[in-house]
Amino acid sequence: AQTDTGLYKELYRPQLHFSPKAHWMNDPNGMVYNKGIYHLFFQYYPDGSTWGPMHWGHATSPDMLHWKEQAIALYPDSLGYIFSGSAVVDEKNTSGFGKKGQAPLVAIFTSHDPIGEKARTGKYENQSIAYSLDNGITWTKYAGNPVLKNPGIADFRDPKVMWYEASKKWIMTLATQDRITFYSSPNLKEWTRESEFGAKAGAHGGVWECPDLFPLTHAGKQYWILIVNINPGGPNGGSATQYFTGQFDGHGFTANHTNIKWLDYGPDEYAGITWSNTGKRKIFLGWMSNWAYAGEVPTHPWRSAMTIPRELGLANVNGRLLIKSSPVRELKKQEPPLLTITNNRATTTKGYDTVRNEEPYMLTLTADTIKDCSLVLSNKEGEQVIVGYDASANQYYIDRTRSGKTGFNKGFASRHVAPRFATNHTLRLVLVVDRASVELFADDGLTVMTSIFFSKSWLNPGVIDGPRGGDSKIVVSRLGRVWK
Ligand code: FRU
């Protein structure tokens, strides 16, 4: 529970990142902005701390940082568990669920029938809808559910719906085994199959889940982004988020590349998708865990947290179109620097005592050189996470081998790597550190890594290998006041 000072007291409890008060959470669902409120629904099992019959839990926030947990929004029913999906503001009341002058919120989700799954019918996942007339607090399921029946594809789930203005219809992006199938609808109730994508593109080391489709503009030109989460088959093992850049014409998606692109190379961002109804801003948030060990992490009485919200943009790096992610600007309203270190060329494994605190912080390192360098996040118990750049491999890395409790899963204590895409001669790393996680945004978010850890006490920042051969600056700012 939250205390008077705004700090959660449970061991490993994140302060800045959303986590439910108790019990199991996985994917973010139904993220929609409406009337000044950011909604975050999530895969939730209220009767235990491992995965179970899925509900949609609910939290609301004015700024995506201060969350208030609300009552459970959707409970399992005769069609099955409530799996992942999305929510939209039906501005034109195409569904007819609205009342005069009041646009309904409509949630589109997968009904997963566990009995059908056991019987191997191959048709146990179907899409259903529900609506809310009180800005997401209470929901009514549509009597005509399911609205999209399974044609016989066992994995048939996680509908992400958006309004496609050019042809004035809704587009559903659906994960179908290791393909994406697009459907369209005039009213959210009747769906027509449009096309399939993915046979010859992307990573196929696992099942495709939780997709998303949206436009982003770069240099005056609009591109379409297709996010496809995959489990397993991620770049550092287990589950991860890949994406495609290309074009969407109202019927189908065409990628403009054949190589695989990962939105986050770390082990602990999954099922990430974006909020709907945020205008030109595209804000992404993922589940901060990995299916490889999510059920084993040593937290109690809750399991799992979400990443910080990230604003997405596009960059052209030598002809390659890449997504760049950065912490939302709401998070950057941080306090004045707590610590500024210029031209540190030290080789030490000691953290800076001056920043010993019990609060989340942001660390920014700018160096006028691209030689090896590494930062250490450590505590007095000698536990540490190392974040660095390896010039000879041209890779960033996060090493959590000695980060505290790791034995709950045999693959957990490891070092993860990610390529550097930027080609300029300045290193720029931004770290967001909370009680049990670090998120690395390198080169303005061209390379991103998220990693969780379970240290006995807070990890404070220090330098192992200061950037040599050029000027450098490290700034540490508390994020405490941002969320209190
Ligand atoms: C992804 C996922 C989704 C599914 C949900 C079930 O993590 O497997 O595909 O809808 O979790 O909880």
Side-chain angles (χ1 to χ4, degrees):
Q2 204 156 12
T3 66
D4 296 343
T5 61
L7 281 167
Y8 292 99
K9 285 212 234 143
E10 299 99 325
L11 184 63
Y12 311 131
R13 189 69 186 251
Q15 303 296 336
L16 182 65
H17 294 77
F18 175 75
S19 59
K21 285 194 196 77
H23 306 308
W24 170 269
M25 173 177 82
N26 56 290
D27 314 357
N29 295 151
M31 294 193 290
V32 61
Y33 177 70
N34 191 38
K35 295 183 183 149
I37 292 178
Y38 290 91
H39 290 278
L40 167 63
F41 299 91
F42 46 89
Q43 288 288 280
Y44 188 52
Y45 180 47
D47 299 318
S49 342
T50 48
W51 191 90
M54 284 287 115
H55 301 54
W56 272 26
H58 186 202
T60 52
S61 170
D63 58 4
M64 299 170 283
L65 299 174
H66 302 77
W67 291 103
K68 186 165 190 282
E69 199 169 335
Q70 305 284 355
I72 290 174
L74 296 170
Y75 285 79
D77 56 34
S78 61
L79 296 174
Y81 303 161
I82 314 295
F83 268 24
S84 287
S86 49
V88 294
V89 182
D90 183 11
E91 214 66 72
K92 299 184 170 65
N93 195 21
T94 62
S95 61
F97 293 140
K99 292 253 162 66
K100 62 168 182 324
Q102 202 190 354
L105 282 184
V106 180
I108 309 95
F109 54 89
T110 300
S111 296
H112 174 101
D113 170 19
I115 300 161
E117 184 184 17
K118 269 213 188 92
R120 296 217 172 85
T121 60
K123 294 189 175 187
Y124 49 85
E125 289 183 341
N126 299 279
Q127 318 318 317
S128 296
I129 59 179
Y131 63 94
S132 170
L133 297 174
D134 57 5
N135 200 2
I137 299 302
T138 59
W139 292 82
T140 307
K141 287 183 187 135
Y142 175 50
N145 280 341
V147 292
L148 172 57
K149 284 204 178 124
N150 191 322
I153 302 169
D155 296 300
F156 190 72
R157 59 178 176 265
D158 308 341
K160 182 71 159 69
V161 173
M162 59 143 197
W163 177 252
Y164 188 73
E165 183 58 32
S167 46
K168 305 230 178 312
K169 57 186 183 183
W170 298 99
I171 298 293
M172 179 194 289
T173 305
L174 193 71
T176 50
Q177 243 151 341
D178 64 343
R179 301 284 189 274
I180 296 300
T181 309
F182 296 101
Y183 292 83
S184 68
S185 169
N187 55 12
L188 297 165
K189 293 171 175 164
E190 293 144 73
W191 293 93
T192 308
R193 188 182 186 281
E194 294 284 348
S195 63
E196 187 186 273
F197 170 82
K200 294 194 191 86
H204 289 270
V207 66
W208 285 13
E209 300 181 316
C210 300
D212 195 358
L213 176 73
F214 54 89
L216 278 181
T217 303
H218 174 69
K221 194 171 171 218
Q222 179 175 278
Y223 297 89
W224 284 84
I225 312 300
L226 177 63
I227 285 181
V228 177
N229 286 277
I230 179 170
N231 176 44
N236 274 297
S239 42
T241 304
Q242 64 177 321
Y243 68 94
F244 301 88
T245 55
Q247 292 306 328
F248 180 72
D249 63 2
H251 303 286
F253 179 85
T254 327
N256 63 9
H257 58 101
T258 48
N259 58 317
I260 302 167
K261 301 182 182 186
W262 299 104
L263 200 83
D264 187 318
Y265 279 83
D268 295 306
E269 182 285 303
Y270 189 59
I273 47 169
T274 65
W275 255 279
S276 41
N277 205 34
T278 52
K280 286 227 158 67
R281 284 184 90 185
K282 268 294 147 197
I283 305 162
F284 173 94
L285 176 133
W287 174 43
M288 199 158 59
S289 196
N290 189 315
W291 277 117
Y293 45 71
E296 297 161 15
V297 296
T299 59
H300 180 79
W302 81 102
R303 264 224 181 88
S304 304
M306 297 300 184
T307 66
I308 53 159
R310 305 164 181 183
E311 182 137 5
L312 303 184
L314 274 181
N316 188 322
V317 184
N318 296 333
R320 253 198 300 199
L321 207 53
L322 296 176
I323 286 188
K324 50 180 190 172
S325 326
S326 56
V328 288
R329 57 174 176 259
E330 285 80 351
L331 189 70
K332 292 181 192 152
K333 274 192 228 135
Q334 63 214 26
E335 293 180 39
L338 184 65
L339 179 71
T340 305
I341 309 157
T342 349
N343 296 340
N344 179 303
R345 295 182 169 87
T347 302
T348 166
T349 50
K350 211 171 160 283
Y352 288 97
D353 286 340
T354 42
V355 289
R356 216 163 272 293
N357 68 78
E358 308 265 296
E359 288 184 348
Y361 55 89
M362 184 181 279
L363 181 153
T364 307
L365 174 142
T366 318
D368 203 6
T369 164
I370 46 164
K371 300 232 167 73
D372 283 7
C373 76
S374 52
L375 299 162
V376 62
L377 313 178
S378 61
N379 60 15
K380 55 184 181 307
E381 289 88 353
E383 297 164 337
Q384 60 178 42
V385 168
I386 302 170
V387 181
Y389 173 66
D390 173 348
S392 62
N394 194 28
Q395 279 175 339
Y396 293 104
Y397 60 91
I398 299 183
D399 186 342
R400 65 177 176 197
T401 317
R402 288 182 286 154
S403 58
K405 210 170 226 160
T406 56
F408 54 87
N409 174 277
K410 84 174 186 317
F412 190 83
S414 45
R415 179 183 185 271
H416 302 107
V417 299
R420 179 176 199 248
F421 296 106
T423 51
N424 61 341
H425 285 262
T426 303
L427 273 186
R428 210 179 125 75
L429 309 188
V430 173
L431 305 188
V432 176
V433 183
D434 201 345
R435 178 63 183 83
S437 64
V438 54
E439 286 157 280
L440 163 67
F441 301 88
D443 307 306
D444 293 321
L446 283 179
T447 300
V448 180
M449 299 182 84
T450 303
S451 184
I452 58 174
F453 52 82
F454 303 95
S455 55
K456 288 202 179 80
S457 62
W458 279 80
L459 299 187
N460 292 294
V463 177
I464 291 187
D465 217 357
R468 275 151 301 173
D471 288 344
S472 70
K473 193 168 160 184
I474 294 170
V475 178
V476 179
S477 303
R478 272 198 186 119
L479 292 171
R481 239 180 258 158
V482 173
W483 53 269
K484 262 183 205 158

